[in-house]
Every structure is written in C-alpha cells, then in structure tokens.
Amino acid sequence: MNAGATGREVVLRVYRGDANGGEEVAYTVPVETGMVVLDAIHWIQAHRAPDLAVRWNCKAAKCGSCSAEVNGKPALMCKSRLDHFPEGQPITVRPMKTFPIVRDLVTDVKWNYEINKRIAPFQPRANAEWRWQQSDIDRVQEFRKCIECFLCQDVCHVLRSHELKHQFAGPRFLVRIAGLEMHPIDGADRVPFLKDTAGIGLCNITKCCTEVCPEGITITDNAIIPLKERVVDRYYDPVQRVWRAITGAKDGT
Ligand code: SF4
Ligand code: SF4
Ligand code: FES
C-alpha cells in the first residue's frame, strides 16, 4: 500500500462526451489521504482513460482553470476534498453547464473574455490625488481577488437557465466593474454600460453566485447591490440628477 493510501475506494461518475452528446462513465479510484477530485481525475487519466479531457493548471485554487460541477454544484476540482463527500456514494463530475462543451470536462469560456473587453478600463481622473484612505482600498481589494474561475457565471440562472448572455454580463463582470467604479480615483462612467449592456437589472439578488465563489467575494452585497444603486440614482432619482448637474459628482461618491 502507498504511504498515503487509505485502503478505501471511491467511484467517480465522470461525464465523457462532446457537443454531439455523451454520458457519465463510472471509474473506481483508490483513495489517498488528502486527495481532491482533481487528483482522482488525474488518477483516471493515468490508469484508465488517458484521453479524458480536463483543464487545470495550479492545483492550488488560484488559476481558476479546473472549474466543473461536482455532485451538481459548481466547484473547483482542486479544492473539492474527497473526504468531504458522503462515504460509499459515487461522486459525479460534469462540465460547467452554462458554457458550450468542448470535450469531457472542458468547456469553451471565451464569451467571458469578449464581455471583459467591452468594459471601460481604469481611467484616473485628471489631476487626481494619488493618495487615498486605506478604507477606500479595502473596499475594492476584495474584487481584485477574483481568479476568473467563472463558477459564479455557471451558477447564475440568468445565464444558465434563461441563456441571456446577449443581455447580461454576469456576476464576474459586475465584480470587475465594481472594482473600477469604486476605485477612489477612477473617473470613467460605466453606469450606462451597467444598465444597457451589462443588464444589471436582470439580477434579482438570489446570491447563488456569492455562495459558490471560491475566493469568498461577497458578490451580491458588496458589488452588485451598490452598482444597482448607482443605476437607480442615475436614471430614477430626480434629486440625484439635479445634484450631479450642479456639482459634477460621480454616482456613489
Ligand atoms: S445574485 Fe444576481 S448575478 Fe448572482 S446568481 Fe443571482 S441573479 Fe445571478
Ligand atoms: S467572482 Fe468568484 S466565482 Fe466569480 S469568477 Fe471570480 S473568483 Fe470565480
Ligand atoms: S487547478 Fe488552478 S484553480 Fe484548480
């Protein structure tokens, strides 16, 4: 027996297929201490199915590559310990449903990068004071932790069930916009984009995105709700409109 071997086995039901269809295939894997789902997938590749397609890189929950649906829940395979699942029961591993499948566990996530390109980048205000309070930095630092795993995009019903990719940017990009909009010296105006292109009004604050984020970003409360408030202030609050006309202030500042 290997040094870390436990003498136990686990059955993984892994989706095998492509855009033309597929099925779950069961593989029995010997369990070692501390093993994660990605380890089990690698064991299957090494011993049973060398053609099993899977995307991964860091194995440290930092590159965002190994996103999949484990027992029906969007998760990083490298952060899903086998001993956190009920013993004696199979574990299903399927590709993210929201994105087109390439093969097996690999999906095509390029739509996300297309959305990303449309967001106005950081633009410091003219004559900006390049010193600011730690509390201002703390506010946007959370959003910079995103590893672009797209698990939040996968779970969001607006993209997953309603397939509104043409109308809604999804939580990951609302997080990115929040990091830019709340930056103390950024001067770009992304509020019209939020309303008309990012489709923030389609989010009904179910918080599913926050629940699956492996970085623990409080997506809904800290990013989406304050951005929704900016859209409401801009388009639906006459007092705010007059105030901005007089002072030239940016929304939410
Ligand atoms: S809170 Fe909004 S963005 Fe997050 S999963 Fe729900 S609908 Fe999608
Ligand atoms: S916000 Fe969280 S769940 Fe969404 S892409 Fe970034 S790290 Fe992943
Ligand atoms: S392999 Fe990098 S996040 Fe899992």
Side-chain angles (χ1 to χ4, degrees), residues 61-62 64 67-68 73-77 79-80 96 141-156 171-176 206-224:
K62 284 297 163 202
S67 302
K73 185 178 175 195
L76 296 178
M77 286 185 277
K79 205 178 177 183
S80 303
M96 289 191 285
Q141 189 67 29
E142 176 185 17
F143 307 133
R144 301 293 292 268
K145 292 193 305 183
C146 175
I147 59 172
E148 295 209 319
C149 62
F150 304 131
L151 293 172
C152 57
Q153 305 285 80
D154 184 44
V155 82
C156 176
R172 186 290 171 260
F173 296 106
L174 297 177
V175 164
R176 174 152 188 256
T206 57
K207 302 198 181 190
C208 314
C209 49
T210 301
E211 286 170 19
V212 301
C213 178
E215 283 294 319
I217 301 170
T218 315
I219 301 172
T220 330
D221 287 6
N222 291 354
I224 296 177

Side-chain angles (χ1 to χ4, degrees), residues 22-57:
E23 60 181 356
E24 288 176 7
V25 178
Y27 300 97
T28 302
V29 178
V31 177
E32 294 190 16
T33 307
M35 209 166 176
V36 293
V37 168
L38 186 60
D39 292 320
I41 293 291
H42 285 163
W43 189 93
I44 294 166
Q45 276 185 323
H47 298 90
R48 297 286 181 272
D51 61 339
L52 171 58
V54 59
R55 186 184 283 132
W56 69 285
N57 196 333

Side-chain angles (χ1 to χ4, degrees), residues 134-219:
Q134 183 63 42
S135 56
D136 289 333
I137 288 306
D138 291 343
R139 191 179 186 200
V140 292
Q141 189 67 29
E142 176 185 17
F143 307 133
R144 301 293 292 268
K145 292 193 305 183
C146 175
I147 59 172
E148 295 209 319
C149 62
F150 304 131
L151 293 172
C152 57
Q153 305 285 80
D154 184 44
V155 82
C156 176
H157 66 100
V158 180
L159 302 172
R160 183 184 182 94
S161 308
H162 305 299
E163 301 185 6
L164 292 177
K165 290 195 186 79
H166 55 296
Q167 292 180 41
F168 185 57
R172 186 290 171 260
F173 296 106
L174 297 177
V175 164
R176 174 152 188 256
I177 294 170
L180 292 163
E181 280 290 299
M182 296 179 200
H183 194 287
I185 66 167
D186 180 83
D189 180 7
R190 301 173 191 83
V191 175
F193 180 87
L194 272 170
K195 174 175 169 287
D196 298 325
T197 306
I200 194 167
L202 289 168
C203 164
N204 53 1
I205 316 181
T206 57
K207 302 198 181 190
C208 314
C209 49
T210 301
E211 286 170 19
V212 301
C213 178
E215 283 294 319
I217 301 170
T218 315
I219 301 172

